[in-house]
């Protein structure tokens, strides 16, 4: 529908109202504090439901429809938590029982505070590996053969205290981010960065488990180039391989890998995934106990698992300055992975999550759990996938999975005394299957976006070659630099109007198609270069009449498109700057734009602006645009500006868009 009168910004605001001026940060903060201080029964109830989501979803719970699915899914996930928790505790460089603690407390706390209905929290391989790197760096495991049991116990307590300190600081960081409403920071970890990071970290996990798979008593290599140091150490120590542990590892991998493949391929047919990990754990424990493999063949076993729960106590707070930097990286990774998983399943099942509430949930989970000797936790890929595929509907499934871990900690823990550590290493390796398969996404990523492909490769190389935390920092910085470079390198293109429409498109991008429509062959040699220049000149001259047709199958050439009109050969009289692609303007950009307007006026060219958003208009008005541009030079759309110029000028104007 065409408008009889073009809309300038002033006329549009007179008819439809001017936008409200944005308040400053101080005013917005005062308004927010005042709104938060209002107290009433309804406001208190809304706050309670928002900050304690269980009060919102539990009254609306439908036992007839959801209880059976939540129970089955929760019990299945709880069974998986047992071997996975003990296995990931080895990655965190603490005893296996602390992995069970980390699979219990955070699960219950997230059930009360989390907004993801299908999210399963607990131990995560990448987070555990990053925690273990900090622990190994500050409290190396004593390798002296004559070390007494008291010295070993003292070193173990130091390692547990340090891991709990990292969890305490991670929780404190998340709570601070929640107080500042910084949930949006997870967006800085783009999908290529997260996928490359988890893939590279999976390689770190795989290499770090080689000594346990081969039965080699080697220390973990912290710092940069850790993968290459570990591979070199394993190569030198290969003659010391424990054959019994090597056979155990081979048999476990031969069982776990096919089960993982079956669970993936038969996911839609199986009511619940096959619990391959717990079956292998039970079988290996029984064989090792019956055959006394630990005493006869020196097979490393889990050892005694104390029944019950530890007494709550503060972690080693004196170590906070030493682990601050690593805790920040671990906190960002844990939150980014958790929110990404929650968003994926929320979108799949048609509900929304609150990223800031997720900060509160994971922050409280890590902070409270650290008082019970837990290491950092987050949402986990494997158990979240199992929870959703097994038919879980709500957060109530977390209570059932916690109940399974509770029974193991209270009564069934001693049954795993003879479990070989090589079995836990195999569980760690097979849990990385999904992360390793992310290599298959690279061809599609190359086809969609070369820049995202470059971000993936740079992040992966940095994680693998340098270290997990350093590689993450490199990936984030490189990803942000690509965004900055793309936003700073703005293109300035001539626009052409599609015939019989109000649509403008860059002519430069359509020049080859235009030459084909005009019957011009591909240029060759110097004559071809002259033909190209002539074609560009004719296209620009056609733009000056704003009637060039953008070639398309449904668009015909209008009139003499491709040929200059009567007014095109003259001097350019007006220029229209399409500002629809400018999201914001800073002070330097505003000064540059005003300088361009002044120079245009001095050259006898009227500069007009079109399609400026409210923020750009406000910045320009504060910069003094009214001194150089009249209200009749600011338009709502490009078509309004063109219509105004063509109807207010006696002769055909020469206009550049």
């Amino acid at each position: 529908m065409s408008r009889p009168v073009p809309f300038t910004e002033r006329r549009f605001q007179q008819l439809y109202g001017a936008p409200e001026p944005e308040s400053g940060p101080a005013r917005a903060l005062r308004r927010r504090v005042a709104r938060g201080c209002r107290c009433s029964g309804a406001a208190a109830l809304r706050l309670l439901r928002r900050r304690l989501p269980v009060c919102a979803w539990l009254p609306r719970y439908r036992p007839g429809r959801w209880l059976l699915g939540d129970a089955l899914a929760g019990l299945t996930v709880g069974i998986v938590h047992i071997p996975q928790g003990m296995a990931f505790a080895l990655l965190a460089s603490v005893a296996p029982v602390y992995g069970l603690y980390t699979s219990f407390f955070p699960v219950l706390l997230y059930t009360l505070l989390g907004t993801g209905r299908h999210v399963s929290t607990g131990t995560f391989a990448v987070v555990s590996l990053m925690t273990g790197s900090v622990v190994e760096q500050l409290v190396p495991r004593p390798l002296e053969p004559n070390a007494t049991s008291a010295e070993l116990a003292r070193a173990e307590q130091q390692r547990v205290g340090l891991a709990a300190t990292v969890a305490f600081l991670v929780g404190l960081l998340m709570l601070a981010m929640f107080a500042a409403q910084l949930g949006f920071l997870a967006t800085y970890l783009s999908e290529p960065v997260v996928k490359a990071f988890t893939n590279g970290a999976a390689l770190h996990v795989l290499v770090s488990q080689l000594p346990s798979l081969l039965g080699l008593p080697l220390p973990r290599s912290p710092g940069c180039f850790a993968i290459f140091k570990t591979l070199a150490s394993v190569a030198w120590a290969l003659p010391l391989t424990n054959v019994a542990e090597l056979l155990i590892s081979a048999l476990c991998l031969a069982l776990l890998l096919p089960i993982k493949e079956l669970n993936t391929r038969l996911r839609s047919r199986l009511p619940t995934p096959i619990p391959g990990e717990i079956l292998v754990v039970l079988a290996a424990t029984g064989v090792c106990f019956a055959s006394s493999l630990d005493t006869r063949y020196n097979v490393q076993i889990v050892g005694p698992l104390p029944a019950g729960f530890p007494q709550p106590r503060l972690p080693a707070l004196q170590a906070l300055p030493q682990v601050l930097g690593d805790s920040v990286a671990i906190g960002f990774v844990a939150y980014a992975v958790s929110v990404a998983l929650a968003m994926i399943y929320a979108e799949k099942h048609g509900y929304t999550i609150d990223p800031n509430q997720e900060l509160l949930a994971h922050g409280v989970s890590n902070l409270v759990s650290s008082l019970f000797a837990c290491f950092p936790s987050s949402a986990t890929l494997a158990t979240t996938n199992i929870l959703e595929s097994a038919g879980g509907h709500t957060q109530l499934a977390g209570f059932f999975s916690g109940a399974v871990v509770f029974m193991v900690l209270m009564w069934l823990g001693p049954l795993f005394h003879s479990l070989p550590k090589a079995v836990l290493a195999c569980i760690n390796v097979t849990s990385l299957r999904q992360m390793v398969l992310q290599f298959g996404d690279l061809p599609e990523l190359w086809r969609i976006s070369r820049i995202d492909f470059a971000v993936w490769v740079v992040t992966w190389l940095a994680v693998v070659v340098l270290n997990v935390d350093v590689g993450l920092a490199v990936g984030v910085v490189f990803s942000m630099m690509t965004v900055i470079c793309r936003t700073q390198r703005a293109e300035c293109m001539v626009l052409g109007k599609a015939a019989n429409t109000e649509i403008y498109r860059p002519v430069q991008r359509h020049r080859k198609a235009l030459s084909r429509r005009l019957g011009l062959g591909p240029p060759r040699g110097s004559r071809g270069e002259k033909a190209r220049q002539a074609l560009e000149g004719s296209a620009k001259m056609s733009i000056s009449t704003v009637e060039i047709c953008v070639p398309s199958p449904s668009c015909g050439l209008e009139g003499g498109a491709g040929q200059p009109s009567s007014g095109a050969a003259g001097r350019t009289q007006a220029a229209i700057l399409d500002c629809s692609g400018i999201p914001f303007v800073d002070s330097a950009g505003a000064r540059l734009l005003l300088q361009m307007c002044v120079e245009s006026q001095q050259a006898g060219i009227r500069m007009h602006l079109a399609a400026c958003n409210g923020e750009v208009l406000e910045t320009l008005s504060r910069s003094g645009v009214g001194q150089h541009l009249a209200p009749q030079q600011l338009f709502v759309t490009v078509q309004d500006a063109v219509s105004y110029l063509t109807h207010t000028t006696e002769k055909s104007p020469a206009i550049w868009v």
Side-chain angles (χ1 to χ4, degrees), residues 320-562:
L320 287 179
Q322 297 174 284
V323 301
L324 178 60
D326 296 289
S327 299
V328 171
I330 293 173
F332 272 108
V333 171
Y335 175 64
V337 171
S338 302
V339 171
L341 278 176
M343 287 183 173
I344 288 173
Y345 287 100
E347 181 179 358
K348 181 178 180 180
H349 292 275
Y351 62 92
T352 59
I353 66 162
D354 183 355
N356 287 306
Q357 179 63 26
E358 291 295 297
L359 274 174
L360 177 64
H362 290 287
V364 171
S365 298
N366 280 282
L367 188 67
V368 175
S369 300
S370 68
L371 305 179
F372 296 91
C374 296
F375 52 87
S377 63
S378 70
T380 66
L381 294 173
T383 55
T384 298
N385 185 27
I386 292 173
L387 179 66
E388 191 267 343
S389 61
H393 297 285
T394 67
Q395 295 93 320
L396 189 64
F399 283 109
F400 292 100
S401 61
V404 175
V405 181
F406 177 81
M407 289 189 294
V408 172
L409 286 171
M410 291 300 296
W411 303 292
L412 303 179
L415 297 178
F416 300 99
H417 177 278
S418 300
L419 174 62
K421 289 186 177 181
V423 176
L424 299 180
C426 293
I427 294 174
N428 283 332
V429 171
T430 55
S431 68
L432 307 174
R433 179 180 177 276
Q434 281 183 303
M435 303 182 195
V436 174
L437 291 179
Q438 290 174 356
F439 277 115
D441 298 336
L442 286 180
E444 183 179 4
L445 192 62
W446 171 267
R447 180 177 56 84
I448 296 174
S449 173
R450 306 290 173 86
I451 294 179
D452 285 349
F453 180 86
V455 170
W456 198 103
V457 172
V458 169
T459 304
W460 187 86
L461 289 176
V463 171
V464 171
V465 175
L466 299 177
N467 202 1
V468 176
D469 49 357
V470 178
L472 176 63
V474 171
V476 171
V477 171
F478 184 77
S479 177
M480 295 178 65
M481 289 301 298
T482 60
V483 176
I484 293 173
C485 291
R486 280 184 282 183
T487 55
Q488 293 300 314
R489 294 182 59 185
E491 288 184 285
C492 183
M493 295 174 290
V494 179
L495 301 183
K497 178 187 176 185
N500 301 321
T501 70
E502 296 183 0
I503 300 173
Y504 292 82
R505 289 292 184 266
V507 175
Q508 187 72 26
R509 296 183 180 178
H510 299 279
R511 193 156 291 160
K512 292 183 179 179
L514 177 62
S515 64
R516 290 197 301 268
R517 295 294 296 267
L518 295 177
L520 301 178
R524 297 178 181 176
S526 60
R527 292 185 179 180
E529 180 66 17
K530 293 180 180 180
R532 184 185 64 81
Q533 294 176 358
L535 177 59
E536 291 182 357
S538 66
K540 291 180 180 178
M541 294 174 71
S542 300
I543 286 300
S544 64
T545 64
V546 203
E547 286 298 332
I548 188 168
C549 171
V550 178
S552 68
S554 60
C555 174
L557 294 174
E558 174 178 329

Side-chain angles (χ1 to χ4, degrees), residues 289-309:
F289 175 78
S291 305
S292 301
L293 297 180
D294 55 329
T295 57
R296 295 174 59 186
Y297 300 102
N298 197 25
V299 172
Q300 300 180 43
I301 60 174
V302 169
L305 293 179
F309 295 93

